[in-house]
Amino acid sequence: STMRLGKFSLPNIKEDVAEETNEDFFKKESEIEEKSHQNRKKNAKKEEKMEKKSIKATVGGLEIAFPFDPYPSQLALMSRVIQSIRSSQNSLLESPTGTGKSLSLLCSALELQRTEKKRLNDEFERKENDRKLKEVKKPNAKLSIVPSFSPPSNSYHQSDFQSNSNC
């Protein structure tokens, strides 16, 4: 049988078919969530392995993660990159082909960025906490008082129902 909606005719859908569709939808949704959860676990394991495999090289006061022991030329390049960024200066860095310039540049710049972002977040948090503390300690701080509310009583006075003769 069909159902008529304006110009369109639609077949009647039985409720059990609609329920099966909903069940299928939730089943697929839970499968997708499970796969996503498994992928997150795999990625976390990969990151953990990478962290274990990486070597920490201290350059310019930063612990820079590097995939292997850096060569002296790479340490020097990372030091110059950090120095240039901190002093907001341009740099011309040269080294022969295959000496790891790109890797050194990326590792040092990314670690400096991460460290600076953390420092700025910590500083912002400290200032925000100081501001909140000063607010609380103000001697004339205005406290907002919430007025009490009492619900109307269910009892009525007889005068509420007296008729007005002027009506």
Side-chain angles (χ1 to χ4, degrees):
S1 71
T2 59
M3 184 170 62
R4 192 141 172 89
L5 293 173
K7 296 179 181 177
F8 303 102
S9 295
L10 299 173
N12 283 339
I13 299 174
K14 293 182 180 179
E15 288 183 23
D16 58 313
V17 173
E19 286 177 17
E20 287 177 14
T21 305
N22 285 338
E23 288 176 15
D24 290 343
F25 172 77
F26 290 119
K27 186 178 178 182
K28 286 178 184 176
E29 188 177 67
S30 65
E31 288 173 2
I32 291 170
E33 286 178 14
E34 180 63 30
K35 286 180 183 179
S36 177
H37 180 70
Q38 289 172 355
N39 286 338
R40 282 193 298 271
K41 276 185 174 180
K42 285 179 185 177
N43 288 339
K45 285 180 183 179
K46 284 180 184 178
E47 287 178 20
E48 191 176 305
K49 285 180 183 178
M50 289 295 288
E51 191 66 32
K52 286 180 183 177
K53 288 181 181 179
S54 68
I55 306 296
K56 298 283 185 179
T58 304
V59 180
L62 298 174
E63 274 195 13
I64 300 171
F66 217 69
F68 51 84
D69 283 328
Y71 297 116
S73 61
Q74 291 170 323
L75 291 171
L77 191 119
M78 288 189 282
S79 176
R80 292 295 181 178
V81 168
I82 292 167
Q83 189 178 40
S84 297
I85 293 173
R86 284 184 173 158
S87 62
S88 299
Q89 293 180 339
N90 294 329
S91 292
L92 177 64
L93 305 167
E94 355 176 54
S95 186
T97 303
T99 56
K101 293 180 294 294
S102 298
L103 182 63
S104 300
L105 175 82
L106 286 170
C107 290
S108 57
L110 290 172
E111 182 60 32
L112 186 61
Q113 179 189 32
R114 189 191 65 76
T115 304
E116 187 64 13
K117 184 177 180 180
K118 185 182 181 320
R119 185 190 67 78
L120 290 173
N121 285 338
D122 291 347
E123 185 179 327
F124 174 78
E125 222 174 88
R126 184 185 51 78
K127 285 182 179 180
E128 189 64 22
N129 288 338
D130 289 348
R131 184 191 64 75
K132 287 178 183 177
L133 190 61
K134 286 178 185 176
E135 280 268 323
V136 171
K137 287 186 175 182
K138 281 184 182 177
N140 296 330
K142 293 182 181 178
L143 298 175
S144 61
I145 300 172
V146 178
S148 62
F149 173 75
S150 57
S153 67
N154 288 337
S155 61
Y156 296 98
H157 192 268
Q158 192 175 11
S159 63
D160 294 338
F161 298 103
Q162 289 178 349
S163 63
N164 191 345
S165 61
N166 295 335
C167 294

